[in-house]
Amino acid sequence: GENVEQHPSTLSVQEGDSAVIKCTYSDSASNYFPWYKQELGKRPQLIIDIRSNVGEKKDQRIAVTLNKTAKHFSLHITETQPEDSAVYFCAASSGNTPLVFGKGTRLSVIA
Amino acid sequence: GAGVSQSPRYKVAKRGQDVALRCDPISGHVSLFWYQQALGQGPEFLTYFQNEAQLDKSGLPSDRFFAERPEGSVSTLKIQRTQQEDSAVYLCASSLSWVLGLTEAFFGQGTRLTVV
């Protein structure tokens, strides 16, 4: 079955700097890769996703890149703000299988 | 409703007690998923429904765990004879499509189960 590895587990950045979180997956059949943000005590919320037919997707300060050959995908947050502080999860699915999540990255943005 | 609703939000159970956790998905959503999230960890898949059919229960940790969705809407996750290792947040998610990636999976706020 699918295995998703996520790094780093914790990340601290100065406000205004960029943050990058990386994930690898094992199942070459996976074709859907969402990123969820979870604030303390709250539900995970989708912030961006990418499908295997594209290599990059952007939404304002957030971007995701996908390298299918290497089986890895990354989340990039630019101009970080204190409200970006949260736990971020990557996930992968083949479309017919449930999402498999990484273990999460705790991002702290220091003002 | 406006989103996925789970109840109760918090549940404290004595070891050996049975518990039932409820999930109300977004109306019309075909797919429903249950995940277990231990403290500081990512959500771990438990089971998956497409309408009333339970298509995958490979993530259920033991035969003490049972889930149902009899009418293809509300789902209940039941844990019998709870043990301390069952303590976690149980998350429910629903999606409009049966194909993940076609439509977003929305999560509920979860039920935090503490077994004492």
Side-chain angles (χ1 to χ4, degrees), chain A residues 31-32 36 38 41-46 49 51 89 93-104 106, chain B residues 3-4 9 33 35 37 40-45 48 56 91 98-105 107-109:
Chain A
N31 58 12
Y32 175 60
Y36 283 82
Q38 188 175 31
K42 296 192 175 180
R43 71 188 76 200
Q45 291 197 299
L46 181 73
D49 57 15
R51 293 170 179 79
F89 294 98
S93 167
S94 70
N96 294 325
T97 57
L99 290 171
V100 175
F101 285 84
K103 292 192 182 300
R106 181 174 299 278
Chain B
V4 179
R9 285 292 315 279
F33 308 86
Y35 285 84
Q37 187 174 27
Q41 299 294 314
E44 295 275 349
F45 170 73
Y48 158 48
D56 188 343
L91 292 167
W98 66 271
V99 177
L100 276 173
L102 274 182
T103 56
E104 179 181 346
F107 280 85
Q109 289 199 299

Side-chain angles (χ1 to χ4, degrees), chain A residues 21-37:
Chain A
I21 303 170
K22 298 183 179 182
C23 288
T24 61
Y25 62 99
S26 61
D27 188 352
S28 57
S30 288
N31 58 12
Y32 175 60
F33 308 93
W35 286 87
Y36 283 82
K37 176 183 180 183

Side-chain angles (χ1 to χ4, degrees), chain A residues 41-56:
Chain A
K42 296 192 175 180
R43 71 188 76 200
Q45 291 197 299
L46 181 73
I47 55 171
I48 195 167
D49 57 15
I50 191 167
R51 293 170 179 79
S52 59
N53 56 342
V54 297
E56 184 175 2

Side-chain angles (χ1 to χ4, degrees), chain A residues 13-15 82 109-111:
Chain A
V13 298
Q14 292 290 328
E15 182 178 359
V109 179
I110 304 163

